[in-house]
Amino acid sequence: MTPEEALRIYWGFSSFRPLQREIVESVLCGRDTLALLPTGGGKSLCYQVPAVCSEGVTLVISPLIALMNDQVAALQKKGIRAAAITSQLSKREWLSVLDNWRESDVKLLYLSPEKLQNSLLQEKLGQLKISFIAVDEAHCISQWGHDFRPAYRQIDNLREVLPPDTAVLALTATATPEVIDDIATSLRFRPGHQVFKKSFHRPNLSYNIRIVENKIDRLIQALRAVPGSAIVFMRHRLKTAQVAQFLRAHGIMADYYHAGLTAEERMEKQNDWMQGKTRVIAATNAFGMGIDKPEVRLVVHLDPVPSLEEYFQEAGRAGRDEKLAYAVSFISPADIARLTDPSNNPFPSPDEIAEVYQKLFEFLRIPLGQGEWEKFPFSIQKFAEYTKLPKLKCYEILRWLERDGHISFDDQCLRHSRLHFYFDFYDLSARHSPESAVVQVVQNVLRMYEGVRYTLVEIDEARIAKMAEVDEPQVKKILYHLSRTGDADYYPKNTEGFLTLLKPRLDRKIFKIDPEEYSFRKARHQARLESVKKFYQSTNQCRVIQLLHYLGEKKTEPCGLCDFCRDQRRMQKNPSPHSLQLRKASEKEIITRQADGQILFKKT
Ligand code: ADP
Ligand code: MG
């Protein structure tokens, strides 16, 4: 089958997009290939098409279990056999996938990089007929990439068990020069390898950074000004439900999405948004991976992003149809101040990481040298109580251990409690004295979660307890009681996620964090935040020029669409005292542009 035939028969597409054909060709010729295409550029096809056209099975290394499962399901639907080996499978399950690949005629086998480190698995892979290896999200290889995953650096081990002429295709949307070099070196690209790179400039996308205090009002304004499908990104899960609720209260069809919802809930919300039943989705960055909706007109950020790479990717979800679209960030002066404030830094210290590592095994009752590939139901809440550390800190450290390949952590069932009130508050206050705990709790719930009277909303009992000045068990008891009397629906949270240990427990003396590595990562983390801060504060350059420069591309022509370019044009038309002020503004000053065009300055 030729690539064109495969494209038509399996995907129903009539032609390749720019560079796809060249990349497919290069892989089919057996060359090591690096494909740099922006998000949504169609990277998956670059390995799926040659996989279908080749004999044997294509290995796809991919970082996210959810993404792998989605892709496998999508391929199966098209009649292409695919399977995924993730840390969710037991040893018996993954062995059976590998032992039966020939009979099951699997064309694409998805693997997580951590899984790949298993020597038995490598040995089994050596017995398969491998057509080529695709490394998706290849920036994870590089310490310079924003999602660095150490296990990605060991993918080249595969070269030892596979025939020397096995081609490797690396795909990424991150194109900073350090990352590119790092990918090619780490995957041991052979001479004659090819790099395909599409410019990351999106000429139809207008980037806007607005420093404001009243984000939510500005969000409503933006959604009224730009009709059509929209995504509103924020960093905290809880906030997604609140923002969606607020938008609905203002007559905007909105829903929310984050990784803590169940798979069914996520699928339903995603589908409603894809089909236009929901106009706006308020989401954490868990939304959008592998989701393709060409006609998104507006992407709003309500919180600072941790890196410009991520900003670029998330903003880039707007306007895939190449028609005019907007990316708008509403950032407050306080956000900017917090960005690089060390006391606000979630970066755990080496001691904290080592301590939590030991505590984790104690908590799970795993002796030294044991535990590899064991999977446990796991509650972060309970673990945090055990360690006596704040939950968020525990979470950060578990994520660190995950990045280092010690554990795999699946928090998808980490659900928030949900609540829906049915009664009229005045009835309730007639039945109870105003000082009673019931009234206190209910009053605070109504104040904190406006939507609770209309629908099920996610709630946080601990916060309610704090606001109502009662203890948390009592809050739960009261909510239980209300649900028993038919006044409310209350679904207490089920925090049980799953945790898989990927390596045996190490002794305190052996588990070490390489200080050099640590300071490197910390410095990178800081540098990234500094770049974000600079980008937010800059008032003297086109946004596209800044972004492309950061991504290693040279562009000198202003885009004409971003906030800077438009402000410039406005100033040239009618230079006002404000515009003179704007030009003189130093980088240290924070500028607030009011809705009426007035510009305010604040010294930081
Ligand atoms: P990336 O991984 O680069 O972010 P994807 O591989 O997820 O992008 O592809 C994004 C979307 O583009 C998918 O919906 C895919 O079906 C579509 N697409 C890819 N190639 C083509 C093509 N040649 N013609 C039409 N649609 C395509
Ligand atoms: Mg992709």
Side-chain angles (χ1 to χ4, degrees):
M1 201 185 296
T2 67
E4 275 78 11
E5 281 166 353
L7 188 68
R8 211 181 49 242
I9 294 168
Y10 288 108
W11 282 270
F13 296 150
S14 50
S15 60
F16 281 107
R17 286 199 183 146
L19 292 186
Q20 281 180 329
R21 183 73 181 85
E22 290 83 342
I23 293 163
V24 170
E25 186 101 329
S26 173
V27 175
L28 288 175
C29 291
R31 277 196 284 270
D32 291 333
T33 306
L34 182 49
L36 307 161
L37 295 181
T39 308
K43 287 183 285 297
S44 322
L45 271 187
C46 296
Y47 58 83
Q48 290 169 344
V49 167
V52 172
C53 299
S54 306
E55 231 185 287
V57 54
T58 298
L59 296 186
V60 184
I61 320 292
S62 173
L64 281 172
I65 295 176
L67 218 62
M68 286 192 233
N69 291 338
D70 287 353
Q71 291 227 353
V72 168
L75 288 167
Q76 304 270 29
K77 244 193 227 159
K78 296 187 189 355
I80 301 169
R81 296 288 177 84
I85 294 186
T86 66
S87 47
Q88 285 178 334
L89 296 191
S90 70
K91 186 168 168 186
R92 187 181 318 163
E93 285 169 323
W94 62 255
L95 275 175
S96 118
V97 172
L98 290 178
D99 288 337
N100 297 322
W101 77 274
R102 209 179 282 273
E103 296 83 84
S104 50
D105 194 26
V106 166
K107 295 307 292 180
L108 291 111
L109 183 59
Y110 287 78
L111 286 159
S112 68
E114 285 78 17
K115 199 80 217 181
L116 206 56
Q117 303 315 312
N118 185 290
S119 47
L120 176 61
L121 185 129
Q122 290 211 351
E123 193 189 308
K124 291 273 173 191
L125 289 181
Q127 295 160 10
L128 305 188
K129 179 166 174 46
I130 307 275
S131 50
F132 67 95
I133 302 165
V135 181
D136 203 1
E137 312 290 348
H139 57 272
C140 293
I141 285 178
S142 173
Q143 295 196 320
W144 304 95
H146 63 85
D147 275 339
F148 175 55
R149 290 262 288 263
Y152 254 84
R153 277 193 103 72
Q154 290 153 25
I155 295 173
D156 64 326
N157 289 345
L158 271 180
R159 294 248 190 226
E160 262 106 73
V161 292
L162 300 182
D165 60 347
T166 311
V168 175
L169 165 64
L171 309 112
T172 177
T174 309
T176 54
E178 301 102 326
V179 176
I180 295 178
D181 286 349
D182 223 3
I183 292 173
T185 316
S186 175
L187 291 174
R188 290 194 242 160
F189 271 14
R190 297 158 299 159
H193 74 259
Q194 291 205 292
V195 178
F196 295 94
K197 179 174 175 184
K198 190 163 179 276
S199 168
F200 281 51
H201 180 38
R202 300 272 309 276
N204 62 315
L205 194 50
S206 164
Y207 296 95
N208 300 270
I209 307 298
R210 295 299 185 196
I211 310 296
V212 299
E213 296 281 4
N214 47 343
K215 298 181 185 192
I216 283 286
D217 298 338
R218 298 295 299 267
L219 171 64
I220 299 262
Q221 283 173 16
L223 285 168
R224 294 211 168 118
V226 182
S229 192
I231 310 175
V232 183
F233 281 117
M234 58 216 81
R235 283 348 262 188
H236 299 288
R237 291 176 177 185
L238 210 65
K239 211 160 103 184
T240 59
Q242 291 165 349
V243 168
Q245 175 59 37
F246 180 84
L247 293 177
R248 278 199 300 275
H250 283 77
I252 296 169
M253 294 222 300
D255 201 352
Y256 66 96
Y257 184 105
H258 56 70
L261 301 166
T262 61
E264 301 80 56
E265 285 172 314
R266 278 180 293 137
M267 188 57 82
E268 198 186 316
K269 285 164 184 279
Q270 180 179 320
N271 285 343
D272 283 354
W273 180 78
M274 292 293 287
Q275 292 163 13
K277 285 189 210 155
T278 307
R279 181 187 156 207
V280 182
I281 194 107
T284 61
N285 63 349
F287 187 75
M289 283 269 198
I291 297 173
D292 183 51
K293 185 169 166 78
E295 73 282 9
V296 177
R297 296 271 69 84
L298 174 66
V299 168
V300 176
H301 281 88
L302 291 184
D303 290 314
V305 285
S307 74
L308 287 181
E309 286 96 323
E310 277 151 283
Y311 172 69
F312 187 78
Q313 274 197 6
E314 289 166 15
R317 304 200 183 282
R320 299 257 180 94
D321 56 3
E322 305 192 340
K323 296 186 188 130
L324 181 63
Y326 296 86
V328 187
S329 299
F330 294 124
I331 303 298
S332 74
D335 287 337
I336 295 193
R338 261 199 303 267
L339 250 179
T340 49
D341 174 3
S343 67
N344 191 52
N345 199 332
F347 215 78
S349 77
D351 285 345
E352 285 170 328
I353 299 169
E355 186 61 28
V356 166
Y357 176 85
Q358 294 301 338
K359 284 260 166 67
L360 177 65
F361 285 89
E362 284 169 22
F363 180 71
L364 299 172
R365 298 168 196 275
I366 303 291
L368 279 183
Q370 311 230 333
E372 190 176 19
W373 294 113
E374 283 187 52
K375 184 171 171 177
F376 303 86
F378 189 76
S379 150
I380 288 208
Q381 182 67 43
K382 287 196 189 119
F383 181 57
E385 283 161 20
Y386 180 77
T387 58
K388 303 196 177 65
L389 284 170
K391 194 167 149 193
L392 193 68
K393 187 120 219 167
C394 275
Y395 189 78
E396 283 296 328
I397 295 177
L398 290 174
R399 285 290 176 217
W400 175 289
L401 292 174
E402 185 173 39
R403 276 197 301 272
D404 267 2
H406 291 284
I407 61 172
S408 159
F409 180 56
D410 179 7
D411 67 349
Q412 305 235 323
C413 357
L414 249 186
R415 261 189 269 166
H416 297 288
S417 300
R418 306 171 120 221
L419 183 67
H420 186 174
F421 278 169
Y422 289 111
F423 55 84
D424 192 338
F425 180 63
Y426 297 100
D427 289 347
L428 186 81
S429 54
R431 276 186 272 152
H432 301 271
S433 88
E435 287 82 26
S436 72
V438 182
V439 171
Q440 286 304 316
V441 166
V442 168
Q443 230 167 9
N444 277 288
V445 167
L446 288 170
R447 208 172 290 144
M448 291 163 71
Y449 308 100
E450 225 190 289
V452 73
R453 270 177 296 185
Y454 316 112
T455 178
L456 265 184
V457 298
E458 291 177 357
I459 54 152
D460 179 353
E461 289 91 339
R463 271 191 60 217
I464 298 169
K466 212 161 145 201
M467 301 296 284
E469 295 179 49
V470 294
D471 57 12
E472 198 182 339
Q474 199 178 357
V475 170
K476 288 184 178 161
K477 223 167 98 191
I478 289 169
L479 296 179
Y480 269 127
H481 181 74
L482 287 171
S483 75
R484 233 171 301 128
T485 55
D487 288 316
D489 275 340
Y490 172 51
Y491 301 104
K493 72 184 142 199
N494 155 22
T495 46
E496 303 300 320
F498 284 95
L499 185 137
T500 311
L501 300 172
L502 301 178
K503 288 180 186 166
R505 176 176 179 177
L506 299 175
D507 184 60
R508 201 173 278 271
K509 289 191 211 78
I510 300 174
F511 179 84
K512 280 225 180 72
I513 291 171
D514 177 5
E516 219 168 287
E517 163 101 21
Y518 178 83
S519 26
F520 180 85
R521 269 158 81 170
K522 185 159 182 183
R524 281 299 300 166
H525 177 78
Q526 280 299 338
R528 253 180 224 127
L529 293 176
E530 291 291 350
S531 307
V532 173
K533 187 172 187 174
K534 203 167 139 216
F535 181 68
Y536 287 160
Q537 289 184 316
S538 93
T539 52
N540 57 6
Q541 199 177 28
C542 162
R543 298 285 174 196
V544 173
I545 294 180
Q546 293 181 55
L547 276 173
L548 290 184
H549 182 79
Y550 182 82
L551 296 171
E553 235 179 272
K554 285 191 186 52
K555 177 176 163 67
T556 46
E557 283 295 295
C559 73
L561 287 180
C562 71
D563 55 330
F564 172 80
C565 288
R566 283 185 300 146
D567 287 349
Q568 277 256 311
R569 253 204 316 274
R570 219 173 288 137
M571 281 193 302
Q572 277 159 6
K573 263 193 221 146
N574 51 352
S576 67
H578 292 316
S579 54
L580 281 174
Q581 273 181 310
L582 179 64
R583 233 171 291 162
K584 280 195 219 140
S586 84
E587 295 271 295
K588 287 212 183 65
E589 284 166 327
I590 288 179
I591 298 172
T592 309
R593 272 165 263 221
Q594 305 281 71
D596 58 6
Q598 204 195 335
I599 297 161
L600 300 176
F601 293 99
K602 261 192 204 160
K603 285 275 183 205
T604 45

